[in-house]
Amino acid sequence: MTPSLIDRGRRVVCASFLSPTARPPEIEPLGAGRINDTFLVSSSGHVPLVLQRINGDVFPDPVCIAENVAAVTAHLAGRRQQSGGDERFPRLVPARDGKSCAIDHDGAVWRVIEYVSGAVSYPLVTSADQAFEVGRMLGRFHLLLDDFDSGVLRPPLPGFHDLPAYCRGLEQTLAEPRRSASGAARDCCLQVEQRLVDADALVRAHQRGELVQRLIHGDPKCDNVLFDRSTLRAVALIDLDTVSPGLVLWDLGDCLRSVCNPAGERPPDRRPGKFHLDLCRAVLTGYRAGGADLSAAERSLLFQGLRLLTFELGVRFLTDYLAGDRYFKVEEPEDNLDRARVQFDLLAQIEHQQAGIEALVADIWP
């Protein structure tokens, strides 16, 4: 992140969020998110805060994102207090004018969120205990939002998790790519073509009434879970920008895809990741322990949720690579292509282990 962006953030937080008499805070980059720019704000006499510039190139209405998060975090805080849980979901901190965000002179939208002290996130899961905690927190999140009026939310990303639409977007990008398709990219395109026939399996199940929409997180990967440093228990699910009505299998599929491949989305040695059944069992056991449940149809289609969400992310990485890296942040020109290759390798492993995954689901939900 450039010094100029940090300076912009400092001006915004001083002008709109901190007391007019507060000393200028220290601001430093926080985390490794691929979408928004995130900073830790430290000021004497004030608790630490998290400052974020919402990516207007990704989210069509950044103000809507801030308002959605304000509503969801307020509800989570109320439900947690009622239930007596130990979660510490961070709340959105309103600006001094009472609004959920502030807009700088360049039109960028900034928001401030509580900083959860004594907590840490992990880019990768390294044990079954961690995987259990990730699953438990996702189940708890779904449970605490089961009575939330989703009608107050505006769509954060129209078409999010619409796999058929992502496939059509890839086709359109291939017609006018900003990057020529290398041999590796062409191989990924072939992987997509081979799986187009049932890319709409979850959509069709929803249309038939077999799957119903609930409020979901939208991006429950392992580094969006905060763990208490002392107890090692999961205490929060963060990055709520994509919370919206959707299929719970989108969340579970994305969570399993992320957690059960300890090598991550871009292994440093570029070797294929591996889908671990023991971590899959831990996530699903934790999810049920968190108080959430699945319908019979959701259980029968859980494997497809995992498979299609992995497929989806591979398509999105590949499309972004060919389109010139407009969505996901990159450090090297081939980053998004490497990420796509990892997902398609992982997808092949998941498909090979279908029987084992479905047996796990039947064992956990007999």
Side-chain angles (χ1 to χ4, degrees):
M1 296 180 188
T2 63
S4 62
L5 186 56
I6 292 176
D7 289 340
R8 283 174 63 186
R10 182 178 289 108
R11 288 195 296 270
V12 167
V13 78
C14 287
S16 301
F17 292 95
L18 297 182
S19 166
T21 59
R23 297 178 58 183
E26 294 293 324
I27 296 182
E28 57 184 296
L30 179 66
R34 297 198 190 97
I35 307 299
N36 300 322
D37 296 310
T38 305
F39 306 90
L40 177 63
V41 179
S42 304
S43 176
S44 60
H46 202 290
V47 296
L49 298 168
V50 175
L51 172 70
Q52 287 188 313
R53 184 180 69 157
I54 303 174
N55 191 332
D57 292 330
V58 170
F59 296 105
D61 187 351
V63 173
C64 142
I65 298 299
E67 292 174 348
N68 283 357
V69 170
V72 170
T73 57
H75 182 87
L76 286 170
R79 281 294 305 272
R80 185 210 61 80
Q81 188 173 22
Q82 292 171 5
S83 65
D86 61 354
E87 297 86 11
R88 288 187 281 152
F89 295 107
R91 295 186 65 163
L92 186 134
V93 177
R96 289 203 304 266
D97 62 5
K99 295 181 179 179
S100 59
C101 57
I103 302 175
D104 70 14
H105 63 278
D106 289 325
V109 176
W110 299 75
R111 52 121 182 263
V112 169
I113 300 172
E114 294 173 341
Y115 177 73
V116 182
S117 60
V120 62
S121 65
Y122 300 104
L124 303 170
V125 162
T126 58
S127 71
D129 287 342
Q130 282 184 337
F132 175 90
E133 282 298 305
V134 172
R136 185 185 64 80
M137 181 50 60
L138 181 59
R140 186 73 176 151
F141 181 84
H142 286 162
L143 179 67
L144 292 176
L145 288 177
D146 65 359
D147 64 342
F148 182 80
D149 178 11
S150 61
V152 305
L153 302 181
R154 286 179 284 168
L157 272 176
F160 192 50
H161 286 322
D162 186 342
L163 178 53
Y166 288 131
C167 292
R168 292 191 295 271
L170 173 59
E171 184 178 356
Q172 293 167 2
T173 301
L174 284 167
E176 296 183 10
R178 293 194 177 186
R179 256 194 199 112
S180 59
S182 63
R186 288 194 297 271
D187 179 66
C188 289
C189 290
L190 180 61
Q191 299 262 12
V192 175
E193 291 175 12
Q194 293 171 343
R195 295 175 170 89
L196 285 176
V197 64
D198 63 349
D200 62 347
L202 295 184
V203 174
R204 285 187 283 110
H206 176 242
Q207 291 172 342
R208 293 193 300 266
E210 298 170 11
L211 300 178
V212 299
Q213 289 196 340
R214 310 190 214 168
L215 207 62
I216 64 169
H217 180 276
D219 189 22
K221 56 190 178 185
C222 52
D223 55 0
N224 279 334
V225 176
L226 294 183
F227 289 79
D228 185 281
R229 289 181 184 272
S230 300
T231 66
L232 303 183
R233 280 175 59 86
V235 293
L237 191 56
I238 59 172
D239 193 2
L240 307 183
D241 293 344
T242 52
V243 171
S244 59
L247 302 180
V248 72
L249 294 185
W250 292 344
D251 264 5
L252 270 173
D254 202 21
C255 182
L256 291 169
R257 173 204 63 79
S258 168
V259 173
C260 302
N261 171 28
E265 292 176 355
R266 190 172 181 269
D269 53 11
R270 299 194 178 186
R271 288 187 299 176
K274 181 179 179 182
F275 187 84
H276 289 247
L277 284 176
D278 60 327
L279 298 180
C280 180
R281 176 181 289 276
V283 170
L284 295 178
T285 303
Y287 183 77
R288 192 167 189 192
D293 205 356
L294 298 178
S295 68
E298 287 167 338
R299 297 172 204 173
S300 68
L301 288 168
L302 197 152
F303 167 77
Q304 289 296 342
L306 164 60
R307 174 178 168 271
L308 293 176
L309 262 292
T310 308
F311 181 25
E312 175 191 307
L313 195 59
V315 170
R316 292 174 63 198
F317 281 144
L318 177 61
T319 303
D320 205 35
Y321 168 75
L322 294 170
D325 306 316
R326 295 183 297 181
Y327 187 98
F328 298 105
K329 293 180 182 178
V330 297
E331 296 179 0
E332 302 293 337
E334 302 289 294
D335 277 358
N336 276 323
L337 178 58
D338 288 341
R339 291 165 179 160
R341 294 170 67 183
V342 167
Q343 292 307 306
F344 288 119
D345 287 339
L346 185 64
L347 175 57
Q349 289 192 32
I350 289 169
E351 291 170 339
H352 183 69
Q353 296 184 79
Q354 178 175 357
I357 294 168
E358 291 181 336
L360 279 181
V361 175
D363 186 43
I364 295 169
W365 281 279

